[in-house]
Amino acid sequence: MTLFDVPLSELRSRTSSKWSRYPDDVLPLWVAEMDVAVCAPVVHAVSDAVRRGDTGYPSGMPYQDAFAEFAERRWGWSTTASRIRLVPDIMQGTVEVIALLTEPGDAVVVNPPVYPPFWAYPRHAGRRIVEAPLGPDHRLDLAALDRAFDEARADGRRAAYLLCHPHNPTGTLHTPDELRAVGELAARHGVRVVSDEVHAPLTLDGTFVSATTVIPDAVALHSASKAFHLAGLKAAIAVPGPEAEHLTHLPELVASEVGHVPVLAHATALREGGSWLDELLTELRAHRTLLAELLAEHAPAVRWTPGAATYFAWLDLRDALPGDPDPARALLRDGRLALNPGPTFGAPGAGHVRLNFATSPELLTEAVRRLASVLPA
């Protein structure tokens, strides 16, 4: 038995977004939900809380304490739990931190192709977006960042840089040297760094290093949601670097939007889910290898550079389906395969799709079969 031995009938009985949006003849490998069962300690913690009626408001710092222990144990990252703040989820927390660092009308720099809410949430908060695209190798382009920081600060207004680390959708894991160079560049321009690190526990190669460890005034956002399949139990934390004192000004009402049961679930995952997470990472590495082999055999025109983190494959179909800026439409229409459209990740996403390989080997194999069936012979 593996973590992904979940019957298709059970997956199709789920009413959350991944398995309910499309008809039953569509194979959905799109949104960031895994086809796994939640790890047993979390199931027990949530079930026990509901059984005992422990369903009131959060109290104390169980999430902060659990994360500090997890970060030290997993990455050797020493944090101070009392400085960590509870936030409703990653993107809401990001907006709250950006609100401390900037004013409406100020700029937020992003690196397309990147998670679509990186545009939506700052714009909803009245900020303007300045783009610094990743390089062709899917790594940070310091020259592009330099130009973007110049543009963001040209009128003397404040600016923030919203970093995705590890990067979604490419799976790129930024190195300490890259982060250090970003920090130096940001300091020179007077730009503050906010790092979305939700996929950190899903590092498949190498060791994750938080931006806050090399950029002292950065703020990182973390959550157990992606790594432990808990997106439906929203909770997250904002973790300040050693020189980022401004989180003391985060309004108390922000934490009041977090539910008690989600906090219990996330804290339990971080404290007791280590062996489950280790097994998950082993299986995801195997799925990544399998996907590369399947594409090479059945769809060699599809280009993919496997990332060092996340369970996403950023597939380049520009040679496979030339002239089609949004191949996800053809894959859905003709192959009954639902993947994330590349253009939603920004202009560099034209001709790309994002595939979620956190599913069973059988469904992954079927997905590539469907993808290949749409491509020209």
Side-chain angles (χ1 to χ4, degrees):
M1 295 288 292
T2 73
L3 296 181
F4 292 93
D5 284 334
V6 181
L8 183 58
S9 59
E10 182 177 324
L11 293 174
R12 293 206 178 277
S13 74
R14 294 178 176 179
T15 58
S16 59
S17 187
K18 182 178 182 181
W19 284 94
S20 68
R21 174 168 294 190
Y22 297 100
D24 284 353
D25 66 329
V26 173
L27 179 58
L29 297 186
W30 60 294
V31 72
E33 296 182 29
M34 295 191 288
D35 293 340
V36 296
V38 177
C39 68
V42 174
V43 173
H44 295 155
V46 172
S47 300
D48 184 58
V50 173
R51 180 185 58 80
R52 291 186 294 107
D54 189 11
T55 51
Y57 298 102
S59 177
M61 298 196 307
Y63 202 154
Q64 294 93 318
D65 290 335
F67 179 79
E69 295 165 8
F70 178 88
E72 179 68 43
R73 184 171 64 249
R74 204 88 191 173
W75 305 310
W77 174 21
S78 296
T79 62
T80 303
S82 62
R83 299 184 69 239
I84 299 172
R85 295 292 182 265
L86 203 60
V87 294
D89 63 19
I90 291 290
M91 290 312 303
Q92 289 287 355
T94 296
V95 167
E96 293 293 346
V97 172
I98 287 174
L100 293 176
L101 305 176
T102 64
E103 300 291 338
D106 290 345
V108 174
V109 178
V110 302
N111 302 120
V114 74
Y115 185 46
F118 272 37
W119 281 272
Y121 276 78
R123 282 174 173 163
H124 182 69
R127 273 62 176 177
R128 57 190 175 90
I129 300 296
V130 175
E131 298 182 6
L134 296 179
D137 57 357
H138 297 160
R139 305 209 72 87
L140 297 173
D141 183 333
L142 292 179
L145 273 175
D146 192 23
R147 291 190 296 271
F149 289 171
D150 259 339
E151 179 181 345
R153 295 277 288 151
D155 56 2
R157 302 190 68 147
R158 295 192 292 175
Y161 169 39
L162 183 50
L163 174 68
C164 195
H165 174 48
H167 196 85
N168 172 9
T170 65
T172 300
L173 182 68
H174 308 305
T175 68
D177 285 344
E178 287 173 320
L179 296 172
R180 191 170 293 107
V182 165
E184 293 169 355
L185 192 63
R188 187 159 70 247
H189 284 275
V191 174
R192 298 300 297 273
V193 178
V194 181
S195 184
D196 172 357
E197 300 180 351
V198 70
H199 291 283
L202 294 166
T203 297
L204 304 177
D205 301 328
T207 302
F208 171 77
V209 175
S210 173
T212 64
T213 64
V214 291
I215 308 175
D217 65 350
V219 178
L221 281 299
H222 279 261
S223 175
S225 60
K226 303 301 186 191
F228 290 93
H229 187 48
L230 299 174
L233 293 168
K234 284 183 176 291
I237 50 173
V239 187
E243 296 178 11
E245 297 300 330
H246 46 266
L247 284 194
T248 57
H249 302 298
L250 200 67
E252 290 186 9
L253 62 86
V254 173
S256 72
E257 296 298 315
V258 186
H260 179 51
V261 174
V263 165
L264 295 179
H266 287 229
T268 300
L270 295 173
R271 280 208 167 105
E272 303 179 37
S275 59
W276 185 93
L277 180 58
D278 289 337
E279 184 177 350
L280 174 72
L281 296 178
T282 297
E283 293 185 26
L284 289 178
R285 292 184 189 103
H287 294 187
R288 184 180 57 177
T289 298
L290 173 62
L291 178 58
E293 293 171 348
L294 290 169
L295 290 172
E297 180 179 357
H298 301 289
V302 175
R303 289 180 287 170
W304 175 40
T305 302
T310 81
Y311 41 67
F312 298 132
W314 185 237
L315 305 182
D316 183 347
L317 276 71
R318 287 175 294 179
D319 291 341
L321 289 173
D324 188 346
D326 189 6
R329 293 179 299 185
L331 296 178
L332 179 59
R333 181 186 64 241
D334 302 327
R336 310 309 285 160
L337 175 65
L339 306 180
N340 288 94
T344 62
F345 294 83
H352 292 70
V353 294
R354 190 189 74 174
L355 180 149
N356 177 349
F357 59 80
T359 189
S360 69
E362 294 76 19
L363 291 183
L364 194 56
T365 301
E366 173 62 13
V368 175
R369 186 197 69 77
R370 294 188 184 204
L371 185 155
S373 73
V374 177
L375 306 183

